[in-house]
């Protein structure tokens, strides 16, 4: 029998000091080879990078921030960081994943991709090439100059990189599937520093793994996306009166259980503002064939009473810009978790009733943090079909998640860091309670959407044992030293 090992405070301090020294050495080497791309806390660029994170819990403080201007710069940085193999680092694209430590790091090195944001239409208008630091607003604004668009985020300030490598749900997902499946090529810097292109004919296994496997294999520096003709969408935000909640959930249930409409997209949210002690139902909806609007959305858009109706016909870039304005100009702390279930006549109502009963008491415990709580119901896209290149998300081509599955996002937004642990525990409790209800009804599905999963969840495991084994094999092949498993602590790991 082995006795437990106890470490003294002085030993822990020594380890932290040694780690800090290694990271400082890495920063010094980065400064030596790329001085115009390496920034320390006293630099305005460093502070601007920290302030660019939309959620306060993400504003951690690395020893230095590295902002590459090319894939070659990223390769150089990876070479430095792997030589300084005790240095921990993070990679920031848009910085919108809410899990602290997933796109920034305390006392490590953060590679901030903001300078790699070039967007250009290429290959005879068939492809839009997108730097990994670009936001979706950048993509739409540039592509629309050529009357083109792409499958991307529905909020303009969201980044492209995490969105696409986590799957990505777009305006066109009901018709065209996951946004990651519109990627025709990834430019990737591997742990060796080698720059490769992963596509349907080269590094095919890596190509599939990056569509859902996120930051486990390398650093994507550019995405080449299929284009499609740009046109106006009809849609926007409707805020309903509180007494419309039950009709709204019934209408969304009918929408999901009725005839499938490939042009109807969006979600419904119930928001609880503890300070005001109010519940507010909201829909965010779009119809991609505005001449045929509202299609299957009619039962939702007809619900009364409505407080605000912002449904308009406009270009995608205007919709995404409007959605960005809804994102708070006053950054707060946000945490979220997710789960998935099959639609049934009663499941939305049962989940809402459970949440509505409990959330005021949970919020009251941390009233000083001025919490806002939300639950959001949304549909999933279809898997790749008709011989399309596979992704790593785990759905078989014969499955129809777009027709019968709903994923739930559970959110707390609040002001005071002291409430973080309490709300994290509340998230865990809500996930368990809601999954118990879904399990009791026989509709619980194991799959978790990585882009909305909490750090205590394991979305990669929900892709299935076979898919996870493939991802591990790809990780071992392209990162045999496990750099992205050990030196990059943020993200959902394979091992």
């Amino acid at each position: 029998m082995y006795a437990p090992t106890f470490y003294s405070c002085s030993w822990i301090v020594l380890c932290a000091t040694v780690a800090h020294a290694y990271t400082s050495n890495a920063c010094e080497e980065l400064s030596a080879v790329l001085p115009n791309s390496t920034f320390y806390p006293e630099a305005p660029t460093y502070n601007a990078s920290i302030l660019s994170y939309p959620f306060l819990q993400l504003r951690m403080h690395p020893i230095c921030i590295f902002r590459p201007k090319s894939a070659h710069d990223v390769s150089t940085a990876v070479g430095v960081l792997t030589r300084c193999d005790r240095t921990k680092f993070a990679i920031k694209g848009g910085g919108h994943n809410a899990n602290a430590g997933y796109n920034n790091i305390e006392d490590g090195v953060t590679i901030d991709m903001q300078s790699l944001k070039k967007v250009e239409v290429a290959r005879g208008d068939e492809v839009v090439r997108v730097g990994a630091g670009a936001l979706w607003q950048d993509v739409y604004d540039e592509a629309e100059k050529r009357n083109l668009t792409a499958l991307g985020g529905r909020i303009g300030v969201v980044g492209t990189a995490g969105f696409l490598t986590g799957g990505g749900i777009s305006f066109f997902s009901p018709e065209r599937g996951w946004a990651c499946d519109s990627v025709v090529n990834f430019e990737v810097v591997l742990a060796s520093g080698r720059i490769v292109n992963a596509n349907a004919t080269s590094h095919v296994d890596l190509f599939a793994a990056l569509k859902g496997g996120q930051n486990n294999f390398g650093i994507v520096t550019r995405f080449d996306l299929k284009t499609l003709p740009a046109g106006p969408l009809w849609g926007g935000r409707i805020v309903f009166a509180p007494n419309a909640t039950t009709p709204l959930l019934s209408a969304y249930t009918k929408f999901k259980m009725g005839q499938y409409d490939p042009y109807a997209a969006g979600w419904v949210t119930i928001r609880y503002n503890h300070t005001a002690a109010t519940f507010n139902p909201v829909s965010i909806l779009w119809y991609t064939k505005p001449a045929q609007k509202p299609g299957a959305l009619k039962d939702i858009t007809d619900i009364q009473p409505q407080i605000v109706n912002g449904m308009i016909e406009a270009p995608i870039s205007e919709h995404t810009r409007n959605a960005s304005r809804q994102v708070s100009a006053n950054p707060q702390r946000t945490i979220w978790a997710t789960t998935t279930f099959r639609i049934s006549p009663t499941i939305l109502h049962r989940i809402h009733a459970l949440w509505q009963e409990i959330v005021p008491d949970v919020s009251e415990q941390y009233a000083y943090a001025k919490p806002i709580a939300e639950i959001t119901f949304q549909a999933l896209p279809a898997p790749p079909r008709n011989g399309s290149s596979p992704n790593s998300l785990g759905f078989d081509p014969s499955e129809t998640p777009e027709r019968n599955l709903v994923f739930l996002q559970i959110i707390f937004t609040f002001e005071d860091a002291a409430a973080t642990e309490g709300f994290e525990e509340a998230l865990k409790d809500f996930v368990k309670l809601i999954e118990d209800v879904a399990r009791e009804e026989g509709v619980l599905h194991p799959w978790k959407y990585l882009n909305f999963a909490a750090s205590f969840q394991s979305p990669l495991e929900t892709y299935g044992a076979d898919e996870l084994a493939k991802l591990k094999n790809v990780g071992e092949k392209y990162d045999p030293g496990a750099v992205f498993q050990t030196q990059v602590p943020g993200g959902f790991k394979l091992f």
Side-chain angles (χ1 to χ4, degrees), residues 64-80:
C64 68
I65 291 175
F66 179 73
R67 285 186 60 169
K69 298 180 178 67
S70 67
H72 180 73
D73 287 356
V74 176
S75 174
T76 299
V78 168
V80 170

Side-chain angles (χ1 to χ4, degrees), residues 312-335:
I312 59 171
E313 186 172 323
I316 286 176
S317 61
E318 185 172 341
H319 284 289
T320 53
R321 197 170 279 109
N322 288 342
S324 295
R325 293 188 187 108
Q326 300 297 328
V327 177
S328 176
N330 177 29
Q332 298 190 42
R333 298 176 185 276
T334 299
I335 57 175

Side-chain angles (χ1 to χ4, degrees), residues 97 99 102 166 212-214 216 338 340 392-395 446-465 467-468 471 491-494:
N97 189 297
N99 290 309
Y102 279 37
Q214 244 175 22
N216 285 287
T338 187
T340 306
S392 61
L393 295 167
F395 289 104
W447 195 84
K448 303 283 191 298
Y449 183 25
L450 183 148
N451 282 348
F452 290 145
S455 59
F456 60 80
Q457 299 184 295
S458 303
L460 295 175
E461 294 180 6
T462 71
Y463 295 177
E467 198 61 53
L468 184 59
L471 290 174
F492 298 102
K493 298 300 164 188
L494 297 171

Side-chain angles (χ1 to χ4, degrees), residues 171-187:
F171 298 102
F172 299 97
S173 281
E175 179 185 7
R176 297 175 181 267
W178 292 96
C180 66
D181 294 323
S182 72
V183 179
V184 297
N185 184 72
F186 297 92
E187 180 185 76

Side-chain angles (χ1 to χ4, degrees), residues 245-264:
T245 299
T246 297
L248 179 62
L249 295 176
S250 295
Y252 191 76
T253 298
K254 183 178 179 182
F255 164 71
K256 283 298 300 176
M257 298 189 74
Q259 183 174 351
Y260 187 72
D261 188 336
Y263 310 121

